[in-house]
Amino acid sequence: MKLSLIAAALAVSSAAAFAPSSVERTSSVLNMDRRSAFGQIATAGAVLAGVPAIASADGSVSGATINRARGLYGDRIVNLKSAVDSGDFRAIAAEKSAFILFNSGAYANNKVKKNAAIAQTNEIFAGIRAGDKAAVKAAYEKYIAANAITGLPDVDPQSGQGYCNDFDFKTRSSAGAIYVR
């Protein structure tokens, strides 16, 4: 009995929900013609198209990031000297990313020097592809000299300090010494 009363109540409520309404709708702000609607849509689109230009921040290139690229990747490139002298092409090719990252990070603001460094990198790897040890050595020495690449110094914690916080790029390198009392 209770189940039939519940079913009847559900049927009546669903019928009332789909019955036509005799109340007239009130006017709203959305009642507008097509021209004004598309005008508002175009205005909103123009505003949204301009927002990415406002948020375009190129703070990734600073003296600190250039120094970081020179320190991290320049040290890796300098450490290839023994591989270049011995003609170990695999070791040089394994550090290809160091050359790429050095070129893009150390010369992020200077396209002329960046393109010259890329051309010099290509000379090194062209010598590797040709299997010419002398050409690789000459191109490597030219690259090091032209880009003024030096390795990180070895710092003794008893006589100096190489970094000051954990965010310094020298932390886990030969220059990563800190004096602790």
Side-chain angles (χ1 to χ4, degrees):
M1 176 78 178
K2 286 184 181 181
L3 185 60
S4 62
L5 286 175
I6 293 173
L10 286 174
V12 169
S13 65
S14 65
F18 293 110
S21 173
S22 62
V23 179
E24 208 174 293
R25 285 188 146 187
T26 59
S27 177
S28 69
V29 178
L30 294 176
N31 289 340
M32 63 176 79
D33 63 339
R34 252 187 277 172
R35 181 173 290 163
S36 61
F38 281 116
Q40 287 183 353
I41 292 170
T43 302
V47 168
L48 289 176
V51 169
I54 295 168
S56 175
D58 191 19
S60 64
V61 178
S62 66
T65 58
I66 291 171
N67 187 32
R68 180 181 174 89
R70 291 190 71 80
L72 285 175
Y73 308 117
D75 191 51
R76 286 172 53 186
I77 292 169
V78 166
N79 289 337
L80 289 174
K81 176 104 175 102
S82 61
V84 170
D85 290 341
S86 67
D88 187 2
F89 296 147
R90 285 183 189 233
I92 300 167
E95 287 291 338
K96 183 177 183 178
S97 62
F99 288 94
I100 294 168
L101 293 169
F102 180 86
N103 296 340
S104 64
Y107 300 119
N109 288 337
N110 193 336
K111 290 192 184 262
V112 174
K113 286 187 177 181
K114 181 178 180 179
N115 290 336
I118 290 171
Q120 292 163 351
T121 301
N122 290 339
E123 287 178 24
I124 293 170
F125 287 96
I128 290 172
R129 282 189 296 277
D132 187 359
K133 290 181 185 180
V136 171
K137 186 172 182 178
Y140 175 79
E141 289 172 357
K142 179 181 170 187
Y143 182 82
I144 295 291
N147 296 301
I149 300 174
T150 58
L152 293 173
D154 291 327
V155 178
D156 180 26
Q158 298 302 320
S159 63
Q161 181 167 322
Y163 74 102
C164 61
N165 64 31
D166 289 338
F167 300 107
D168 194 338
F169 68 89
K170 295 174 286 212
T171 303
R172 289 170 286 287
S173 70
S174 61
I178 192 163
Y179 176 74
V180 180
R181 289 188 227 188

